[in-house]
Amino acid sequence: QAFFCLLFCIPWGSSCPPSCQCTERAGAKAVLCSSRHLEEIPKDIPRDVVFLKLDANSITRIPSNAFRHLSHLEEIDLSRNAIEKIDGAAFKGVAAGLRTLDLSGNRIRSIPKEALLALNAKLRLANNPWHCECALQEVLWEARLDPDSVQDITCHTAPREEYVGKPLLQVLDAGVNFCSVRQRTMDVAMFITMFGWFAMVIVYVICYVRHNREDACRRGDYLKPLPSTQAHAE
C-alpha cells in the first residue's frame, strides 16, 4: 500500500524531465533545460512551471499544443536552437498568460501569423533568416515585439534583391507594403486565369461555328445533284 501511495499520490507537477533542472525563482517553479542537446520539447515538463528555458539546444520544430498543459507558464526561452517550423497552434493554451517568448537565433524563415498574433507576450524574433513577406509584416505591426531586438529582424530573402540584408522595419518605413504586392500578384494571376478561360470559350465558339458551316456545305454539296438527276430521269 505504501508503494502504491508513493506511485499515485505524488502530484505530476512535481516531476522534472531527466535532462533538465527544476528550481524555484521567487516562489515560482523554473525548468532549466539549456544546452542539453534536446531535439524536441520534453513531454514531462511539470504543469506548474512558470519559467521554461530551452535555449541552446537542437530543437527543429514547435508542434501544435506543445505547451497547452502548462497553464502557469509566463516565460519561454527557445533562443539559439535550430527551429525551422512553428505550427499555427504551437502556443495554444498559454497565449493569455505568457509574458515573454524568445525565438531569436533560430532558422525561422516564415511563421503562421495566427501562431503569434494571439499572444500578449513580448516577442524576440531577431537573428533568423526571415523571408520578408506579408505574414511577417503583419506580425511586426500587430504583435508585441521587444523594442531592443526589432532592428535585428532582417530580410534574408525578399521579393526584390534590394531589400535583402536590410532590417524589415527599415524596408517598411521606406513605404514598401508586402501585403499589397501579394494582392497585386493574386489579381494578376486571377486576370490571367480569366483570360485563359475566355480564350478557350472563344476558340470553342469559333470551332463550333466552323464545324457547323462545314457540315452545311457538305449537306449542300450532297443535295445539289439531286434535281438534275430527277430531271434526267423524266
Side-chain angles (χ1 to χ4, degrees):
Q1 289 180 344
F3 171 78
F4 283 107
C5 183
L6 287 173
L7 184 63
F8 292 107
C9 296
I10 296 175
W12 289 106
S14 63
S15 63
C16 189
S19 56
C20 303
Q21 179 185 1
C22 295
T23 62
E24 286 196 6
R25 292 164 47 186
K29 179 160 288 186
V31 177
L32 312 178
C33 308
S34 305
S35 304
R36 300 301 174 99
H37 306 290
L38 299 175
E39 296 183 357
E40 61 181 17
I41 297 169
K43 305 293 185 185
D44 48 356
I45 297 172
R47 292 178 178 272
D48 54 349
V49 62
V50 176
F51 307 102
L52 178 59
K53 286 185 66 65
L54 293 163
D55 55 303
N57 283 290
S58 302
I59 298 170
T60 59
R61 179 191 174 199
I62 307 177
S64 297
N65 302 311
F67 309 99
R68 189 172 186 175
H69 63 292
L70 308 177
S71 58
H72 297 85
L73 202 55
E74 294 182 6
E75 295 184 16
I76 306 176
D77 186 354
L78 284 158
S79 63
R80 296 182 295 146
N81 274 277
I83 298 170
E84 296 180 353
K85 181 175 176 56
I86 299 176
D87 291 355
F91 303 103
K92 187 175 182 180
V94 297
L98 203 62
R99 292 187 297 143
T100 303
L101 174 60
D102 194 342
L103 293 168
S104 59
N106 281 281
R107 301 175 184 174
I108 307 170
R109 285 177 45 81
S110 63
I111 190 169
K113 62 180 181 180
E114 60 269 19
L116 298 182
L117 293 184
L119 296 175
N120 293 319
K122 183 184 293 185
L123 300 174
R124 298 189 182 103
L125 304 175
N127 302 318
N128 281 284
W130 291 107
H131 174 65
C132 289
E133 57 180 348
C134 182
L136 183 58
Q137 174 180 319
E138 291 177 340
V139 167
L140 188 66
W141 288 140
E142 300 181 36
R144 291 185 58 224
L145 297 179
D146 182 2
D148 295 332
S149 64
V150 68
Q151 287 290 346
D152 294 322
I153 301 177
T154 304
C155 296
H156 184 74
T157 56
R160 296 177 61 173
E161 188 67 25
E162 61 189 274
Y163 307 144
V164 175
K166 293 183 178 179
L168 177 59
L169 189 62
Q170 177 183 334
V171 174
L172 297 178
D173 284 345
V176 176
N177 189 335
F178 292 106
C179 294
S180 66
V181 170
R182 185 180 67 175
Q183 184 62 45
R184 286 198 300 270
T185 303
M186 292 175 62
D187 291 344
V188 170
M190 186 175 296
F191 174 78
I192 293 174
T193 302
M194 291 178 64
F195 179 80
W197 279 106
F198 181 74
M200 289 176 61
V201 171
I202 294 298
V203 170
Y204 174 80
V205 171
I206 293 173
C207 291
Y208 179 79
V209 171
R210 182 177 298 174
H211 178 72
N212 286 348
R213 184 177 298 173
E214 290 175 353
D215 283 350
C217 290
R218 284 197 297 270
R219 194 176 297 111
D221 293 340
Y222 173 77
L223 295 175
K224 281 180 182 178
L226 292 181
S228 58
T229 303
Q230 185 179 4
H232 181 72
E234 292 176 352

